[in-house]
Amino acid sequence: ANLGIALPLEFVQLRKSEGDDASCLNLNRVTAPRILGLPTAPLKGRFSFVQSTQELDADDPWTSLKTPLAGDVIPAIADQTVIQWGLGMAVGDTLVYLDEAGQEMKLKLIGGLANSIFQGNILIDEALFLKHFPSSSGTHVFLVDAATTDREAATEVLARAFRNEGTEITPAADRLAAFNQVENTYLSIFMLLGGLAMIIGTIGLGIVLVRNILDRVQEVGILQAIGFKKRDVMRLIIREHLVLLLLGTLSGTLAAFMAILPSLLSEFVTASWHTAVVIIALVLANGYVWVALITRRVLRGGVWDGVRGE
């Protein structure tokens, strides 16, 4: 009320230690991400976990952060993308820090979150955070749950209330969009490289096809001599290479399917089968067009002059 906030807002205060940003916005490999100490009660039933160890309570995961593990190891949670790509580690591994007293502080990653606003940070219980960083005063990070559908109004009210505090307010949707934009950029690059590979493969297919036809002049001559028409020979050669195209596409599709199978089995990943079918259809159509055009072009050229000599 003293801040002049009329909207019904719920605040969750997080304590922060200094560290590196381990989100996808930082392309460098980090060893000591920022640690956030948070109260676990307000997070009950929120956020989803991709992976976990046996120390993580399946019914109420966030309460698992309250109890230290054997050897005074602190349970910790982070985004799965941070664990796998930012740290190059896996759920169950242990991070080693030095607290403000210079004592060794071990954090075991007991859970990996699905894509969340916490990306780039390591999460531990607030009480355990204060145990190792007792001089930490105040809070630097806030989560705000606005019971309103007017996001712009809530952002404006918060900006006005904290205008003298140098606060940076970022809606959760915008923060996740920033993370996804980096991921989408990578996907666009890979798609561009895939398109380039398909163009190079098409050129290679054309070269192999031309060389194959030129090496089969005798066979073509025999087929013509026993009564095959030029049209029939073209169809025969086109069908032979279409079989190779189908087998090559099938083997490539199976290899790609096996590569992404672990992701497909995850309940947090949705596959666009429609897009996959369209891409495969375009590859087959592109291959067919080039096989037909090159075959007709070569057989209508100087090959038939050599056939007469056979």
Side-chain angles (χ1 to χ4, degrees):
N2 295 332
L3 296 174
I5 299 178
L7 294 176
L9 303 178
E10 180 182 352
F11 289 82
V12 178
Q13 304 179 60
L14 287 74
R15 300 180 183 272
K16 182 184 73 171
S17 72
E18 295 301 323
D20 301 321
D21 180 10
S23 71
C24 59
L25 301 179
N26 182 6
L27 300 181
N28 299 317
R29 178 65 59 85
V30 299
T31 57
R34 287 191 299 258
I35 302 175
L36 296 181
L38 71 167
T40 58
L43 299 181
K44 183 177 181 179
R46 299 174 184 263
F47 301 97
S48 302
F49 288 82
V50 178
Q51 292 186 12
S52 63
T53 64
Q54 59 183 3
E55 290 91 354
L56 190 75
D57 187 349
D59 297 327
D60 193 359
W62 292 104
T63 58
S64 304
L65 295 180
K66 289 181 169 294
T67 307
L69 306 176
D72 203 24
V73 176
I74 300 174
I77 291 173
D79 262 40
Q80 182 63 28
T81 53
V82 171
I83 297 173
Q84 184 173 356
W85 304 112
L87 296 173
M89 304 176 74
V91 172
D93 290 343
T94 301
L95 291 166
V96 179
Y97 287 81
L98 292 179
D99 61 17
E100 66 178 43
Q103 301 297 318
E104 193 175 78
M105 174 183 173
K106 296 182 178 180
L107 276 60
K108 182 176 181 179
L109 300 168
I110 63 172
L113 288 170
N115 191 25
S116 75
I117 57 175
F118 291 124
Q119 186 179 140
N121 304 282
I122 306 296
L123 310 177
I124 66 173
D125 179 66
E126 183 179 24
L128 295 176
F129 181 93
L130 290 174
K131 178 181 177 181
H132 291 272
F133 300 96
S135 65
S136 175
S137 60
T139 52
H140 302 83
V141 180
F142 297 85
L143 299 181
V144 183
D145 186 6
T148 175
T149 57
D150 193 346
R151 188 182 68 179
E152 294 184 359
T155 302
E156 182 179 349
V157 168
L158 290 171
R160 183 170 60 250
F162 294 100
R163 60 185 178 276
N164 297 325
E165 308 298 332
T167 304
E168 179 182 352
I169 301 173
T170 305
D174 293 348
R175 183 170 177 82
L176 289 174
F179 295 146
N180 292 333
Q181 184 177 8
V182 176
E183 181 179 346
N184 292 336
T185 300
Y186 281 118
L187 292 177
S188 298
I189 294 173
F190 293 146
M191 184 175 294
L192 179 62
L193 293 176
L196 180 61
M198 189 172 71
I199 293 174
I200 296 175
T202 301
I203 296 174
L205 175 64
I207 295 174
V208 171
L209 183 57
V210 172
R211 179 61 183 272
N212 187 23
I213 295 175
L214 293 177
D215 288 343
R216 296 170 63 182
V217 171
Q218 293 182 352
E219 179 184 340
V220 172
I222 294 174
L223 291 175
Q224 187 184 32
I226 62 177
F228 278 84
K229 297 180 180 180
K230 182 188 298 187
R231 182 179 63 255
D232 297 329
V233 176
M234 288 183 179
R235 290 177 180 174
L236 180 62
I237 295 178
I238 290 174
R239 289 175 183 174
E240 289 178 359
H241 289 87
L242 286 181
V243 171
L244 296 178
L245 175 64
L246 289 173
L247 292 177
T249 304
L250 178 61
S251 61
T253 302
L254 290 177
F257 177 78
M258 295 301 295
I260 65 173
L261 184 59
S263 297
L264 294 177
L265 295 177
S266 173
E267 59 180 312
F268 300 102
V269 175
T270 56
S272 178
W273 297 108
H274 175 74
T275 302
V277 171
V278 170
I279 292 175
I280 294 173
L282 289 175
V283 170
L284 292 174
N286 176 73
Y288 172 78
V289 170
W290 283 106
V291 167
L293 288 177
I294 293 175
T295 302
R296 295 177 184 276
R297 178 68 176 175
V298 174
L299 291 183
R300 286 178 178 176
V303 172
W304 298 104
D305 296 333
V307 169
R308 295 189 183 94
E310 298 294 331

